[in-house]
Amino acid sequence: MPLPRPTDAAPSAPRHSEPLPLDLTIAMACVIGLSVIWLMTLQRIAHERAQAIASAMEANANLAIAFEQQVHRTLKAAEQVASFVREQYLNHADTLDLRRWETQGVIRDAMFNVVSVVDERGDIVRSSRLPLRVNYADREFFTTQRDVVPDLAQDALHVSQPVLGRVTGRWQVPLSLGIWRKDGRFAGVVVLSVDPATFTDFHRQVNLGPGGLLELTGLDGTVRGRKIDEDRGFGMDASDLPWFQRRAKAPAGSFVNEDGPDGVSRIISYRTMADYPLMVTVGTPSTSELASTQQRRGAYLWLAGSVSAGLLLLTALLLLALSRQRVAARALEASEALFRATFHQAAMGIVHLSPEGHILLANDKFCGMLGYDMAELRERTIFELGDPDHQQEARFLLRKRLSSDSVAALPEVEKTYLRKDGSLLWVCEALGVVQDRQGEPERVVAVVQDITARKALEARLSHDAMHDVLTGLPNRLMFHDRLSQVLESARRRQGLAAVLFLDLDGFKEVNDTLGHAAGDELLRQVARRLEACVRAEDTVARIGGDEFGVVLATVAQSGDCEQVAAKILEALTQPFALATHEVQISASVGGALFPAHGEDMDSLLARADTGMYAAKREGKGRFCWRDLASDPAAIEATAPAKS
């Protein structure tokens, strides 16, 4: 009988699933175990690598901020010098002597190789170097400043591409500031030459390790300065570099660059400067930053391979994995310790703030600058450390930074702090915001640079440019400026003003017989006596040699001027006690009254000068309004007769 086909058979009873074979169960368990082990291993490797890269990016981003601030300070110092030279050139072009300024230390910054003033035709008309017949009309820094529309918003320092200097004969980066007259006409440029290596001297403050990269690049795509290890370069085209191309999408950022300009893979952080068309770049080799991670990666792979050899070693391998995890934790702690050490050894003050201004953390430099320890700082806000009169301004600046959508830091601000001992500290401060994962401000990082010495230098430069070095009195420039202001005020109120010229009688004999040191001391004593003879609103100036000038801001009548002159003559006839001798001199004084003797400065000065010489001809030791030979009725007041 033939066997029935399946379709002919009767329905059978339901059958239970048979258990899988033990070998298949073990194989599946092994596959599952291996899958879990390898998945965890690869995730751990990826996680640690991501952590190492993130830590390196954070460190490089902080270095990029510090590098940007150094370049910003360098350019700001250049802009201040150029602005000062421009102001002096516009107001006192005939007397501007940059070589003498450099010799006398008015221009003291060693980073400027040469400071020059170029007129509207491109010719050098003033320079801190020997006079050279050099024309800069074809230079990019000249044409750029010449073609710009004069506007306060565009009046900024121009950082040119590196060029071979025609004065120094060396490669330089020209820094220029345009000069415009009051009517808007272009009058030339002030140009300062800087060695390209100056911009990458930041490596002296930090150690980027072998293969470290520092670069300052213009937004025109030309490198102003690049340093890799000890190799320096400039003038290269950076338009094809990844960080230059990324800047077009984001003004600041960090990323891993697998193929650098020298073929080295680096972790790159770049920032676009806020005030200048420049960007800074900091890079550290990926191999050095990921060395410890690569070592742990090999260990993880070996561990996973050992686990794959048999599930019997599962417990031992798990214990080993826990051991490796402890090693990774210790490495992370070591990395955090390294960050803390770098944080506290930074060359500038760094402080972490809450969005409300409370101090969370400060490095040793910041504590030392203010004289507080960390415990004392945590009890204060950043506003309480500043000038009480400017606390609202500081709060506004913090709110403005927190509300800014830009990742680039706002321009640095110069402000004051009060040290613990009550003394004043001038700082240059920049604020950066750290955001959480939701994009909300988590903390504010303030980078603070002590500029107290620079502020003192600026005050000294301003004082020295307008005062006589020997006597401390205003010099001829300041005398003319004060007289111009007094005349303008007198015109507005339709009042009187006066100017006196006086020349010392007998000074030459003291100088010739007792020496120049005695003559200098006599001039200083004369200056003090003259100051005691006038009011606070009046001006006493040394015009030159033994000539002095006095501006009387307000005069009720001509007799007031005569009274001041008589007071001066009386004061100067009193004996002067010098180091080894007692001497007696007198003075010849001439005066001019506004508006009776003239309505402009030149006519008044000429009238006072004429009166002074008339007083000398009449026997010295007296005051004259004008030349007695032409006006017999001129008023004069003589001093007491000499002994």
Side-chain angles (χ1 to χ4, degrees), residues 145-474:
Q145 295 287 6
R146 180 191 62 194
D147 297 337
V148 73
V149 177
D151 182 77
L152 183 61
Q154 298 176 340
D155 186 19
L157 192 72
H158 178 68
V159 184
S160 299
Q161 298 180 5
V163 297
L164 186 61
R166 293 174 179 168
V167 175
T168 63
R170 296 181 296 177
W171 282 98
Q172 306 286 340
V173 175
L175 309 178
S176 62
L177 195 65
I179 304 174
W180 291 273
R181 304 193 186 280
K182 292 182 178 180
D183 58 1
R185 289 184 297 114
F186 176 69
V189 298
V190 178
V191 58
L192 304 90
S193 297
V194 178
D195 190 327
T198 301
F199 295 113
T200 55
D201 280 346
F202 182 69
H203 74 281
R204 298 179 182 175
Q205 303 178 23
V206 296
N207 181 15
L208 299 179
L213 166 73
L214 279 177
E215 183 179 281
L216 176 67
T217 306
L219 300 189
D220 57 2
T222 300
V223 175
R224 277 21 177 204
R226 177 189 292 166
K227 179 182 178 295
I228 300 178
D229 283 334
E230 298 304 320
D231 296 328
R232 299 177 184 267
F234 54 86
M236 294 79 77
D237 182 11
S239 58
D240 293 332
L241 295 177
W243 48 87
F244 186 85
Q245 296 176 351
R246 285 174 176 251
R247 187 207 60 80
K249 298 181 180 179
S254 299
F255 66 100
V256 179
N257 179 36
E258 297 296 344
D259 188 13
D262 55 350
V264 176
S265 174
R266 291 184 177 85
I267 296 175
I268 298 292
S269 289
Y270 67 93
R271 295 183 65 82
T272 304
M273 297 187 64
D275 292 343
Y276 301 97
L278 300 168
M279 63 178 294
V280 296
T281 306
V282 175
T284 52
S286 302
T287 53
S288 59
E289 297 289 353
L290 301 178
S292 59
T293 302
Q294 288 296 107
Q295 292 177 355
R296 291 195 296 274
R297 177 179 179 275
Y300 293 147
L301 294 176
W302 177 85
L303 179 60
S306 299
V307 172
S308 301
L311 292 178
L312 294 176
L313 301 176
L314 180 59
T315 303
L317 294 175
L318 289 175
L319 293 176
L320 183 58
L322 292 175
S323 175
R324 295 295 182 181
Q325 184 128 3
R326 286 193 294 270
V327 171
R330 286 195 295 270
L332 183 58
E333 292 175 357
S335 177
E336 292 175 350
L338 178 61
F339 167 75
R340 288 193 296 270
T342 304
F343 177 78
H344 287 292
Q345 292 174 9
M348 66 287 294
I350 303 175
V351 57
H352 291 190
L353 310 171
S354 72
E356 295 77 26
H358 295 286
I359 298 176
L360 306 176
L361 182 65
N363 66 352
D364 295 340
K365 180 68 175 181
F366 186 81
C367 295
M369 288 165 61
L370 292 175
Y372 292 100
D373 57 34
M374 192 61 240
E376 293 174 315
L377 288 177
R378 284 199 177 98
E379 297 175 355
R380 292 167 169 80
T381 66
I382 196 67
F383 315 117
E384 295 171 350
L385 300 177
D387 187 343
D389 295 334
H390 296 86
Q391 287 191 13
Q392 287 301 115
E393 182 180 345
R395 294 179 186 275
F396 173 76
L397 180 64
L398 180 60
R399 289 196 300 269
K400 181 178 180 181
R401 186 64 190 94
L402 290 172
S403 62
S404 175
D405 295 332
S406 173
V407 298
L410 291 175
E412 294 178 339
V413 296
E414 295 182 357
K415 58 184 292 188
T416 55
Y417 283 114
L418 292 179
R419 295 188 178 97
K420 186 177 181 179
D421 60 8
S423 60
L424 195 66
L425 173 70
W426 271 100
V427 301
C428 183
E429 182 178 278
L431 300 179
V433 177
V434 178
Q435 299 177 338
D436 57 20
R437 293 184 178 180
Q438 287 73 38
E440 296 296 327
E442 184 176 41
R443 64 175 56 193
V444 178
V445 179
V447 181
V448 180
Q449 180 72 22
D450 186 351
I451 60 170
T452 305
R454 195 195 83 197
K455 282 293 184 180
L457 174 62
E458 292 175 357
R460 187 167 64 253
L461 285 174
S462 178
H463 181 274
D464 292 348
M466 302 298 288
H467 288 77
D468 176 53
V469 176
L470 177 63
T471 63
L473 293 177

Side-chain angles (χ1 to χ4, degrees), residues 22-39:
L22 181 58
D23 54 347
L24 183 57
T25 302
I26 294 174
M28 291 179 63
C30 181
V31 169
I32 294 174
L34 291 175
S35 300
V36 171
I37 291 170
W38 280 104
L39 181 60

